[in-house]
mmCIF file of all heavy atoms in Angstrom:
data_model
loop_
_atom_site.group_PDB
_atom_site.id
_atom_site.type_symbol
_atom_site.label_atom_id
_atom_site.label_comp_id
_atom_site.label_asym_id
_atom_site.label_seq_id
_atom_site.Cartn_x
_atom_site.Cartn_y
_atom_site.Cartn_z
ATOM 1 N N GLN A 53 1.188 -52.852 134.013
ATOM 2 C CA GLN A 53 0.445 -51.601 134.087
ATOM 3 C C GLN A 53 -0.409 -51.482 132.834
ATOM 4 O O GLN A 53 -0.003 -51.867 131.741
ATOM 5 C CB GLN A 53 1.417 -50.416 134.191
ATOM 6 C CG GLN A 53 0.750 -49.068 134.354
ATOM 7 C CD GLN A 53 1.769 -47.975 134.630
ATOM 8 O OE1 GLN A 53 2.816 -48.217 135.221
ATOM 9 N NE2 GLN A 53 1.465 -46.757 134.203
ATOM 10 N N ARG A 62 11.066 -62.140 121.516
ATOM 11 C CA ARG A 62 11.361 -63.138 120.483
ATOM 12 C C ARG A 62 10.093 -63.495 119.692
ATOM 13 O O ARG A 62 9.805 -64.655 119.430
ATOM 14 C CB ARG A 62 12.001 -64.385 121.083
ATOM 15 C CG ARG A 62 13.405 -64.138 121.585
ATOM 16 C CD ARG A 62 14.203 -65.407 121.679
ATOM 17 N NE ARG A 62 13.715 -66.289 122.711
ATOM 18 C CZ ARG A 62 14.279 -67.460 123.007
ATOM 19 N NH1 ARG A 62 15.330 -67.871 122.330
ATOM 20 N NH2 ARG A 62 13.783 -68.210 123.971
ATOM 21 N N HIS A 67 1.850 -62.281 127.415
ATOM 22 C CA HIS A 67 0.670 -63.044 127.823
ATOM 23 C C HIS A 67 0.440 -64.261 126.937
ATOM 24 O O HIS A 67 -0.418 -65.089 127.251
ATOM 25 C CB HIS A 67 -0.571 -62.148 127.812
ATOM 26 C CG HIS A 67 -0.910 -61.599 126.457
ATOM 27 N ND1 HIS A 67 -0.397 -60.411 125.985
ATOM 28 C CD2 HIS A 67 -1.708 -62.073 125.467
ATOM 29 C CE1 HIS A 67 -0.866 -60.174 124.780
ATOM 30 N NE2 HIS A 67 -1.665 -61.165 124.434
ATOM 31 N N ARG A 89 12.788 -66.016 155.379
ATOM 32 C CA ARG A 89 13.222 -67.170 154.605
ATOM 33 C C ARG A 89 14.717 -67.069 154.330
ATOM 34 O O ARG A 89 15.265 -65.980 154.155
ATOM 35 C CB ARG A 89 12.449 -67.245 153.288
ATOM 36 C CG ARG A 89 12.471 -68.620 152.642
ATOM 37 C CD ARG A 89 11.640 -68.610 151.360
ATOM 38 N NE ARG A 89 10.287 -68.158 151.590
ATOM 39 C CZ ARG A 89 9.318 -68.932 152.045
ATOM 40 N NH1 ARG A 89 9.559 -70.204 152.319
ATOM 41 N NH2 ARG A 89 8.109 -68.458 152.225
ATOM 42 N N HIS A 168 26.855 -55.289 136.562
ATOM 43 C CA HIS A 168 26.939 -55.027 135.128
ATOM 44 C C HIS A 168 27.808 -56.070 134.426
ATOM 45 O O HIS A 168 27.576 -56.370 133.247
ATOM 46 C CB HIS A 168 27.486 -53.624 134.885
ATOM 47 C CG HIS A 168 26.466 -52.547 135.113
ATOM 48 N ND1 HIS A 168 25.334 -52.423 134.340
ATOM 49 C CD2 HIS A 168 26.401 -51.560 136.048
ATOM 50 C CE1 HIS A 168 24.621 -51.392 134.767
ATOM 51 N NE2 HIS A 168 25.235 -50.859 135.805
ATOM 52 N N GLU A 190 26.866 -44.244 133.397
ATOM 53 C CA GLU A 190 26.643 -45.680 133.575
ATOM 54 C C GLU A 190 26.158 -46.319 132.281
ATOM 55 O O GLU A 190 26.600 -47.425 131.911
ATOM 56 C CB GLU A 190 25.613 -45.906 134.680
ATOM 57 C CG GLU A 190 25.294 -47.371 134.938
ATOM 58 C CD GLU A 190 24.199 -47.556 135.958
ATOM 59 O OE1 GLU A 190 23.712 -46.545 136.499
ATOM 60 O OE2 GLU A 190 23.814 -48.715 136.216
ATOM 61 N N ARG A 217 29.800 -39.597 122.383
ATOM 62 C CA ARG A 217 30.414 -38.450 121.709
ATOM 63 C C ARG A 217 29.420 -37.321 121.467
ATOM 64 O O ARG A 217 29.834 -36.168 121.308
ATOM 65 C CB ARG A 217 31.016 -38.891 120.380
ATOM 66 C CG ARG A 217 32.192 -39.841 120.521
ATOM 67 C CD ARG A 217 32.801 -40.158 119.166
ATOM 68 N NE ARG A 217 33.314 -38.970 118.508
ATOM 69 C CZ ARG A 217 34.529 -38.455 118.737
ATOM 70 N NH1 ARG A 217 35.337 -39.050 119.594
ATOM 71 N NH2 ARG A 217 34.914 -37.372 118.112
ATOM 72 N N GLU A 241 44.230 -17.368 126.273
ATOM 73 C CA GLU A 241 44.001 -17.502 124.838
ATOM 74 C C GLU A 241 42.511 -17.632 124.519
ATOM 75 O O GLU A 241 42.053 -17.138 123.482
ATOM 76 C CB GLU A 241 44.754 -18.712 124.306
ATOM 77 C CG GLU A 241 46.266 -18.540 124.314
ATOM 78 C CD GLU A 241 46.977 -19.704 123.658
ATOM 79 O OE1 GLU A 241 46.291 -20.649 123.220
ATOM 80 O OE2 GLU A 241 48.221 -19.665 123.582
ATOM 81 N N LEU A 259 44.524 -31.416 134.969
ATOM 82 C CA LEU A 259 43.565 -30.408 134.571
ATOM 83 C C LEU A 259 42.461 -31.069 133.761
ATOM 84 O O LEU A 259 42.701 -32.050 133.049
ATOM 85 C CB LEU A 259 44.226 -29.301 133.723
ATOM 86 C CG LEU A 259 45.303 -28.436 134.373
ATOM 87 C CD1 LEU A 259 45.912 -27.513 133.334
ATOM 88 C CD2 LEU A 259 44.721 -27.632 135.523
ATOM 89 N N GLU A 271 48.970 -27.399 121.022
ATOM 90 C CA GLU A 271 49.667 -26.278 120.385
ATOM 91 C C GLU A 271 50.054 -25.219 121.405
ATOM 92 O O GLU A 271 51.161 -24.656 121.348
ATOM 93 C CB GLU A 271 48.764 -25.678 119.313
ATOM 94 C CG GLU A 271 48.574 -26.581 118.103
ATOM 95 C CD GLU A 271 47.557 -26.017 117.140
ATOM 96 O OE1 GLU A 271 47.012 -24.934 117.420
ATOM 97 O OE2 GLU A 271 47.322 -26.678 116.122
ATOM 98 N N GLU A 286 38.197 -37.131 126.970
ATOM 99 C CA GLU A 286 37.375 -37.924 127.878
ATOM 100 C C GLU A 286 35.960 -37.392 127.847
ATOM 101 O O GLU A 286 35.671 -36.389 127.189
ATOM 102 C CB GLU A 286 37.927 -37.873 129.311
ATOM 103 C CG GLU A 286 39.256 -38.584 129.487
ATOM 104 C CD GLU A 286 39.739 -38.554 130.915
ATOM 105 O OE1 GLU A 286 39.151 -37.801 131.713
ATOM 106 O OE2 GLU A 286 40.705 -39.281 131.222
ATOM 107 N N ARG A 328 45.116 -42.977 109.005
ATOM 108 C CA ARG A 328 44.732 -44.150 109.794
ATOM 109 C C ARG A 328 44.483 -45.325 108.868
ATOM 110 O O ARG A 328 43.640 -45.252 107.984
ATOM 111 C CB ARG A 328 43.450 -43.840 110.583
ATOM 112 C CG ARG A 328 42.994 -44.983 111.450
ATOM 113 C CD ARG A 328 41.784 -44.575 112.233
ATOM 114 N NE ARG A 328 41.303 -45.659 113.056
ATOM 115 C CZ ARG A 328 40.238 -45.588 113.837
ATOM 116 N NH1 ARG A 328 39.548 -44.478 113.911
ATOM 117 N NH2 ARG A 328 39.846 -46.618 114.562
ATOM 118 N N ASP A 353 45.592 -46.822 129.460
ATOM 119 C CA ASP A 353 45.162 -45.941 128.386
ATOM 120 C C ASP A 353 43.755 -45.470 128.682
ATOM 121 O O ASP A 353 42.887 -46.271 128.970
ATOM 122 C CB ASP A 353 45.177 -46.669 127.030
ATOM 123 C CG ASP A 353 46.597 -47.033 126.623
ATOM 124 O OD1 ASP A 353 47.515 -46.372 127.123
ATOM 125 O OD2 ASP A 353 46.756 -47.963 125.819
ATOM 126 N N ALA A 372 37.163 -62.423 127.910
ATOM 127 C CA ALA A 372 35.727 -62.434 127.627
ATOM 128 C C ALA A 372 34.958 -62.749 128.898
ATOM 129 O O ALA A 372 35.506 -63.236 129.867
ATOM 130 C CB ALA A 372 35.414 -63.484 126.551
ATOM 131 N N GLY A 389 31.058 -65.854 116.946
ATOM 132 C CA GLY A 389 30.207 -65.172 116.001
ATOM 133 C C GLY A 389 30.158 -63.704 116.342
ATOM 134 O O GLY A 389 30.973 -63.169 117.061
ATOM 135 N N SER A 444 4.320 -81.227 135.648
ATOM 136 C CA SER A 444 3.893 -82.299 136.529
ATOM 137 C C SER A 444 2.927 -81.740 137.558
ATOM 138 O O SER A 444 3.099 -80.615 138.034
ATOM 139 C CB SER A 444 5.110 -82.926 137.236
ATOM 140 O OG SER A 444 4.697 -83.784 138.272
ATOM 141 N N LEU A 590 -14.650 -79.784 160.559
ATOM 142 C CA LEU A 590 -14.657 -78.387 160.984
ATOM 143 C C LEU A 590 -13.286 -77.748 160.808
ATOM 144 O O LEU A 590 -13.163 -76.633 160.268
ATOM 145 C CB LEU A 590 -15.099 -78.307 162.445
ATOM 146 C CG LEU A 590 -15.018 -76.922 163.089
ATOM 147 C CD1 LEU A 590 -15.998 -75.969 162.436
ATOM 148 C CD2 LEU A 590 -15.261 -77.008 164.599
ATOM 149 N N GLY A 673 -22.254 -77.317 159.871
ATOM 150 C CA GLY A 673 -21.828 -77.969 158.636
ATOM 151 C C GLY A 673 -22.440 -77.331 157.409
ATOM 152 O O GLY A 673 -21.769 -77.135 156.384
ATOM 153 N N LEU A 680 -17.795 -72.291 151.824
ATOM 154 C CA LEU A 680 -16.779 -72.836 150.920
ATOM 155 C C LEU A 680 -17.244 -72.782 149.475
ATOM 156 O O LEU A 680 -16.451 -72.458 148.563
ATOM 157 C CB LEU A 680 -16.444 -74.267 151.322
ATOM 158 C CG LEU A 680 -15.666 -74.448 152.627
ATOM 159 C CD1 LEU A 680 -15.479 -75.929 152.942
ATOM 160 C CD2 LEU A 680 -14.304 -73.767 152.527
ATOM 161 N N LEU A 688 -13.040 -68.886 141.282
ATOM 162 C CA LEU A 688 -13.093 -69.302 139.880
ATOM 163 C C LEU A 688 -13.487 -68.138 138.978
ATOM 164 O O LEU A 688 -12.942 -67.984 137.871
ATOM 165 C CB LEU A 688 -14.076 -70.461 139.720
ATOM 166 C CG LEU A 688 -13.682 -71.780 140.401
ATOM 167 C CD1 LEU A 688 -14.775 -72.815 140.212
ATOM 168 C CD2 LEU A 688 -12.352 -72.300 139.857
#
Side-chain angles (χ1 to χ4, degrees):
Q53 183 173 330
R62 290 202 292 182
H67 62 271
R89 200 178 305 278
H168 283 295
E190 179 184 358
R217 294 184 61 84
E241 291 186 359
L259 296 174
E271 290 174 0
E286 292 182 349
R328 181 177 179 181
D353 294 337
S444 169
L590 174 66
L680 290 177
L688 294 177

